[in-house]
Amino acid sequence: MENQTTPRRGRVVNTVLSAAVPVLAMYLLWLAAVAVVLFMGSFRFSGFILPLVVPFAVALFLGVAAFATEIFLVYADDGLVEIPAIRAFLFLWTGAVAFGVYSLTVNWGFKTGFKGQAVAALGTVNLLVFACLCATWMAAALKKPSELVPVCAVVALADLFSVLAGPTRELAKDIAAYYEKGMEGPPPFSDFILIKIPVPGLDAPMPLFGVSDWIILAFLCSAMVRFGLSDSLAGPGISGIKRKKRLALYAPVAVLGLGFAVLAAQVSGMFLPALPIMVGFFLVHSLWANEAVRRLDAREWRLIAGFSVVLLTLLAAGLFMGS
């Protein structure tokens, strides 16, 4: 009996490590990238380089976040499927870290300078881990690739409604007021669910988008793994990388869409809904590159039509009441 228990215990330990080590690597990767950018901030930028600093930082950290998500999908996800308790523990872990970040920011005032940047970096990578945990769990509910079309349609319309006439609109006002007043007083709770990056020359981290955007992005990437499809603009695609268990160049098209939305918001100075743009990029590429995604049945068309009517009606009502 003891001889049978020992190998089983060894498999459990290996499974736990196979999930925990990649998650730890995600934390270290992000914090190392932040350290490099903060070091770059000690140099003065001028001339034609200055306008390129923000786009550089956005592109760099979107790439780091995509690479961290790749690590999670390739190495960590199998262990979470095999032992669901690991996912539950990691959810608790991200909650504990989030509480620590909240306490350091609100009670200790770590909002700017090196301490503020470090705390924000820990909070952001913690949100990325949380997003991957949620996304891979959600993707397990998909039965076929064509279901991605109604899911993307509903997500885009729901985000559009939320930004223009729903709760996101009010949250955005609170966040904008907080930053316009020079970050005086405790930040609103919504500030703690934002993905933030350091920018050379800035004393405080710059908010990019909400954690929900990365949850959907990681969900789309996880769906590609689930169905053996590709959403990459370069390299073998996440499905091929997962099969070989070897990291390679991965450029998901959803990251390009999200980056476009972020930079468009920066240039225009407007609060733009990122999800419709991001899933739009994803859908155009997926419908063109993957025939399985194009095979919608009557039920999926009805879902798209039904949710579109409901959400557009709510949007019209919200805008009318707001005016």
Side-chain angles (χ1 to χ4, degrees):
M1 187 70 175
E2 185 177 349
N3 292 336
Q4 293 178 353
T5 304
T6 301
R8 187 182 306 165
R9 188 178 301 163
R11 286 196 300 271
V12 171
V13 172
N14 289 337
T15 303
V16 171
L17 290 176
S18 71
V21 171
V23 169
L24 176 61
M26 293 174 67
Y27 281 95
L28 295 178
L29 172 68
W30 186 268
L31 295 177
V34 168
V36 170
V37 171
L38 291 179
F39 174 74
M40 292 174 60
S42 61
F43 299 95
R44 292 189 176 183
F45 299 97
S46 60
F48 73 95
I49 297 179
L50 191 59
L52 301 177
V53 171
V54 171
F56 164 77
V58 171
L60 171 66
F61 282 101
L62 282 177
V64 173
F67 186 51
T69 302
E70 177 185 351
I71 292 173
F72 187 96
L73 293 174
V74 173
Y75 296 115
D77 191 38
D78 289 342
L80 304 181
V81 173
E82 185 175 344
I83 305 180
I86 301 175
R87 189 188 304 273
F89 171 79
L90 289 174
F91 272 130
L92 292 174
W93 166 260
T94 56
V97 174
F99 178 78
V101 168
Y102 177 85
S103 179
L104 288 172
T105 304
V106 174
N107 298 328
W108 293 78
F110 292 171
K111 295 187 290 186
T112 59
F114 177 78
K115 292 180 179 178
Q117 295 278 16
V119 170
L122 179 60
T124 290
V125 68
N126 193 58
L127 288 175
L128 293 177
V129 172
F130 174 79
C132 289
L133 290 169
C134 292
T136 50
W137 177 66
M138 292 161 51
L142 294 172
K143 298 294 186 286
K144 54 181 182 174
S146 58
E147 290 177 342
L148 286 168
V149 178
V151 168
C152 287
V154 170
V155 163
L157 289 171
D159 189 58
L160 190 64
F161 164 74
S162 185
V163 169
L164 296 180
T168 303
R169 181 182 182 182
E170 300 306 317
L171 294 177
K173 290 180 180 178
D174 292 341
I175 293 171
Y178 171 69
Y179 282 96
E180 287 171 359
K181 293 179 180 178
M183 303 173 66
E184 294 180 358
F189 178 78
S190 51
D191 189 58
F192 293 95
I193 57 174
L194 295 178
I195 302 296
K196 305 174 186 178
I197 64 170
V199 175
L202 296 185
D203 191 45
M206 184 179 76
L208 286 189
F209 48 83
V211 65
S212 60
D213 296 328
W214 202 265
I215 290 175
I216 298 302
L217 189 148
F219 165 80
L220 298 175
C221 296
S222 182
M224 294 293 101
V225 173
R226 181 172 177 80
F227 298 119
L229 303 176
S230 176
D231 64 335
S232 184
L233 297 172
I238 189 63
S239 299
I241 297 171
K242 178 70 177 281
R243 282 193 299 270
K244 295 180 179 179
K245 290 285 187 179
R246 183 181 302 170
L247 297 176
L249 176 63
Y250 177 48
V253 66
V255 170
L256 177 64
L258 183 57
F260 178 84
V262 169
L263 291 177
Q266 291 290 329
V267 171
S268 65
M270 299 171 58
F271 185 80
L272 299 177
L275 278 179
I277 299 173
M278 184 182 78
V279 301
F281 273 67
F282 173 83
L283 274 182
V284 169
H285 179 272
S286 296
L287 290 169
W288 171 74
N290 302 298
E291 182 182 354
V293 179
R294 299 195 295 267
R295 296 175 185 165
L296 278 74
D297 58 25
R299 171 180 164 274
E300 287 155 355
W301 282 113
R302 287 195 298 269
L303 283 173
I304 294 174
F307 277 106
S308 298
V309 169
V310 171
L311 289 171
L312 289 174
T313 301
L314 290 173
L315 176 60
L319 291 175
F320 176 77
M321 294 173 65
S323 63

